[in-house]
Amino acid sequence: MTPVRVRFAPSPTGRTHLASGRTALYNYLLARQTGGQFILRIEDTDQKRYVPGSEQELMDSLRWLGLEWDEGPDVGGPYAPYYQTGRREIYQQYARQLIEQGQAFYCFCTPDRLEKVRQAQQQRKETPHYDGFCRNLDPGEAARRVANGERHVVRFKMPKDGSITVRDRLRGDITVENAMLDDSVLIKSDGLAVYHLAAMVDDQLMGITHVFRGSEWLSTFPLHGHIIRAFGWTPPEFVHLSILLKPSGKGKMSKRDTAAAMQDGHSIYIKDLRDLGYTPEGVVNWIALMGWSYDDAAEFFTMPDLIEKFSIEHLNPSPAAINFTKLDYFNGLHIRALPVDELARRIQPYLPEGDLATLQKIAPIIRERLVTLDDAPQWAGFFFRETVTPSVADLTPKGMTPAEGAAVARKCLSIIESLPNVSHETAEPPLRALVEETGLSAGQVFGILRVAVTGQTVSPPLFESMAIIGKEKVVERVRQAIGLLEQLG
RNA sequence: GCCCCCAUCGUCUAGGGGCCCAGGACGGGGCCCUCUCAAGGCCCAAACAGCGGUUCGAGUCCGCUUGGGGGCACCA
């Protein structure tokens, strides 16, 4: 495939969502696969909705996912500026061209009048649309009014009859009657272009070959086709991605669903996912498969895999429900796939007391237990605490009294004290022999030791854990446990 | 209301006329492994929305119905 030029063009109006991450990902994959360029363009033409900080979160989120752009606001590029507010004269120039061609017109209607027109139309059960009040004004007079500083917008002069056919890569040709289309605003009264004009102009000027965008753009797609045609340009390939539904698959995520996901330790925002201990590898694998698939079996993918295997043909146009359980699964998969020293580095922020050398010993025994990196403290916190504080109830195995438990613990203690060290090889055989001798189950004997040493009933494997903690500390903790049991028994 | 899009197990999906009494994965159930919890292995339940066509033959093509979604702004 020839190198593509693709762009991800979000508006800085809120948090960076999963769906944005997915759109950006597909753009990135196609760019890397074909040796093309991935461009980040900020569509900030609606200054009323601008949310400070959203742009920073956006860039942080993309970079965290590993989606580095080749051209964009902070890295520059041959088509700068990459902020649309920096390109207002460009859009005005193209709008003027359309006016001169008779395919756009100045409109002086006030918001007030438009609102009244809309209401009247709705009362008559008509589809709201611009009534054409300024459509046929004398061009000379309109120009004079503009020169006089009269407040105005520029509207597209939609043909009254005929139809237009636009092509989506996933859905094929889409034909719409022009009569169904409106004289949409191209330039607002503040002089800035709206999306419909700005995006088409920028895509053309920036040499964009493929446009991935959400399917919410499908309804305005015919308008975009008209604009492109009016300028005589060759349209890029359009790929409208399916929308993401709430986990139940019934409707899109609502405020309530978003809150529920947070309650559950999940989130639809990329940055939150990072904070919750998800890995970029897991998140990328997960979102890649929401609307795309490779074949009837493969599903574990790293970024290099995806770059190699991604294809537009395997994109699915139907909506996909967000499945957080599957994110947990993929995250676990990728955590386990991480090299030990890398995993040690990744969990260090969650275990600030832990030194890297010890974390490298711990990583292999907790890796298959981690769903998120954030789980590390519950599995490995006891390695780094001075003392553990088990409860007598936990220390006493089912069907035994605390006194009986203490007796078993004493036997364990004397065995451990007699050992040169508590490696798996040295500690397990004599302790297994003890199990035989007492006639208890391995679970009962090792259970006492586990709680004594780790302070918890659920832990990484006992012998591996003891080996890491070291004989001295193990002895100390078992003694303490015996004290607890005898005191109460 | 009008316009557009979508439709295979609960969920993500494979399938692009015979290879499908529909395959994989998550989740669920069972078994195995086992010092706890996981991970892993094996097995089970679970779907072509409905109705009409086209065809020797339809999950796959066409139409309608139903359901879901998006849009109808001087927002993107």
Side-chain angles (χ1 to χ4, degrees):
Chain A
M1 202 169 165
T2 56
V4 299
R5 279 182 61 79
V6 290
R7 103 278 125 124
F8 176 55
S11 60
T13 50
R15 306 206 52 195
T16 302
H17 190 275
L18 284 174
S20 301
R22 186 186 61 163
T23 304
L25 173 66
Y26 292 157
N27 272 298
Y28 175 85
L29 293 177
L30 199 62
R32 291 295 168 268
Q33 180 178 84
T34 62
Q37 288 86 39
F38 173 49
I39 294 134
L40 178 63
R41 186 174 74 217
I42 305 295
E43 311 225 322
D44 56 351
T45 51
D46 186 358
Q47 301 184 301
K48 287 191 289 293
R49 291 201 309 151
Y50 181 77
V51 175
S54 59
E55 213 180 294
Q56 193 56 48
E57 176 170 335
L58 189 253
M59 295 203 267
D60 289 347
S61 297
L62 293 184
R63 289 208 163 101
W64 178 72
L65 288 174
L67 311 178
E68 205 67 44
W69 47 97
D70 305 299
E71 298 170 27
D74 56 339
V75 299
Y79 298 91
Y82 292 91
Y83 286 99
Q84 289 187 327
T85 43
R87 305 170 66 80
R88 69 191 295 148
E89 283 76 24
I90 298 173
Y91 308 133
Q92 285 177 348
Q93 176 198 324
Y94 280 95
R96 272 196 299 274
Q97 184 188 331
L98 288 184
I99 291 169
E100 281 159 20
Q101 291 173 193
Q103 294 181 98
F105 61 93
Y106 289 115
C107 171
F108 305 92
C109 295
T110 61
D112 206 45
R113 190 186 98 78
L114 293 173
E115 185 50 38
K116 286 199 178 99
V117 168
R118 234 190 313 271
Q119 274 171 13
Q121 287 167 337
Q122 270 162 351
Q123 262 166 25
R124 277 176 271 136
K125 303 227 191 279
E126 287 172 19
T127 303
H129 65 281
Y130 180 63
D131 65 352
F133 191 76
C134 299
R135 186 175 159 113
N136 295 312
L137 285 181
D138 174 67
E141 190 202 328
R144 255 192 313 281
R145 287 170 71 176
V146 169
N148 280 342
E150 192 169 338
R151 203 165 172 81
H152 64 280
V153 301
V154 176
R155 286 181 183 274
F156 188 73
K157 199 167 192 171
M158 185 60 67
K160 285 291 182 200
D161 38 43
S163 65
I164 185 161
T165 298
V166 285
R167 177 165 299 173
D168 173 71
R169 260 306 272 281
L170 305 181
R171 288 157 249 260
D173 288 347
I174 298 166
T175 302
V176 177
E177 296 298 319
N178 293 155
M180 293 296 129
L181 271 19
D182 208 357
D183 291 342
S184 299
V185 170
L186 264 21
I187 302 276
K188 295 176 283 178
S189 57
D190 65 1
L192 261 166
V194 298
Y195 174 89
H196 309 305
L197 208 224
M200 295 313 113
V201 167
D202 286 345
D203 287 345
Q204 169 64 206
L205 262 32
M206 294 180 179
I208 300 303
T209 60
H210 298 255
V211 173
F212 288 89
R213 43 149 51 164
S215 63
E216 66 268 22
W217 292 111
L218 231 30
S219 58
T220 43
F221 190 17
L223 198 220
H224 301 156
H226 268 114
I227 292 172
I228 291 168
R229 183 195 278 177
F231 286 116
W233 296 331
T234 304
E237 293 250 27
F238 282 92
V239 186
H240 292 89
L241 268 17
S242 65
I243 55 152
L244 264 25
L245 269 24
K246 66 169 98 177
S248 66
K250 309 232 183 312
K252 54 173 188 170
M253 290 292 285
S254 64
K255 283 261 178 2
R256 208 204 324 278
D257 300 315
T258 304
M262 304 252 198
Q263 279 294 323
D264 245 44
H266 296 119
S267 176
I268 54 168
Y269 302 113
I270 307 282
K271 183 175 185 291
D272 291 351
L273 259 17
R274 178 185 64 184
D275 295 341
L276 287 165
Y278 288 96
T279 60
E281 290 89 342
V283 175
V284 163
N285 198 154
W286 180 53
I287 59 180
L289 258 21
M290 300 183 74
W292 176 82
S293 62
Y294 179 62
D295 61 14
D296 62 353
E299 57 162 17
F300 178 87
F301 297 107
T302 61
M303 192 69 94
D305 295 335
L306 291 170
I307 289 170
E308 185 193 324
K309 299 188 162 133
F310 178 75
S311 69
I312 294 174
E313 286 67 33
H314 279 97
L315 248 18
N316 190 153
S318 52
I322 297 170
N323 185 346
F324 289 111
T325 316
K326 202 142 187 174
L327 167 62
D328 287 344
Y329 166 73
F330 278 121
N331 205 243
L333 239 39
H334 279 93
I335 283 178
R336 272 168 259 141
L338 249 24
V340 166
D341 55 336
E342 175 62 19
L343 179 56
R345 269 194 294 276
R346 300 242 196 143
I347 59 177
Q348 193 163 36
Y350 299 89
L351 289 162
E353 327 85 333
D355 60 290
L356 210 52
T358 307
L359 289 173
Q360 284 181 350
K361 285 188 250 172
I362 293 170
I365 67 170
I366 66 167
R367 69 195 310 174
E368 52 274 306
R369 279 158 257 263
L370 300 179
V371 173
T372 62
L373 299 172
D374 188 42
D375 288 340
Q378 77 185 63
W379 288 105
F382 68 88
F383 286 109
F384 304 107
R385 282 194 277 276
E386 265 316 301
T387 57
V388 293
T389 52
S391 71
V392 173
D394 283 346
L395 279 166
T396 312
K398 272 195 215 89
M400 289 173 71
T401 64
E404 288 165 339
V408 174
R410 282 212 171 277
K411 287 180 182 157
C412 290
L413 179 62
S414 65
I415 289 170
I416 291 166
E417 283 182 312
S418 71
L419 298 170
N421 60 60
V422 287
S423 73
H424 195 151
E425 299 73 45
T426 58
E428 186 167 9
L431 286 166
R432 288 264 174 213
L434 175 67
V435 170
E436 287 294 311
E437 179 197 319
T438 57
L440 296 167
S441 73
Q444 287 175 304
V445 175
F446 296 158
I448 297 174
L449 263 185
R450 176 189 319 285
V451 176
V453 172
T454 69
Q456 47 201 57
T457 55
V458 172
S459 81
L462 217 213
F463 297 108
E464 284 81 352
S465 299
M466 292 202 298
I468 293 168
I469 289 178
K471 181 180 167 183
E472 193 184 335
K473 227 168 179 178
V474 167
V475 165
E476 188 183 301
R477 290 184 182 184
V478 174
R479 279 212 182 104
Q480 191 207 342
I482 292 168
L484 264 167
L485 282 168
E486 290 183 337
Q487 186 185 327
L488 264 101

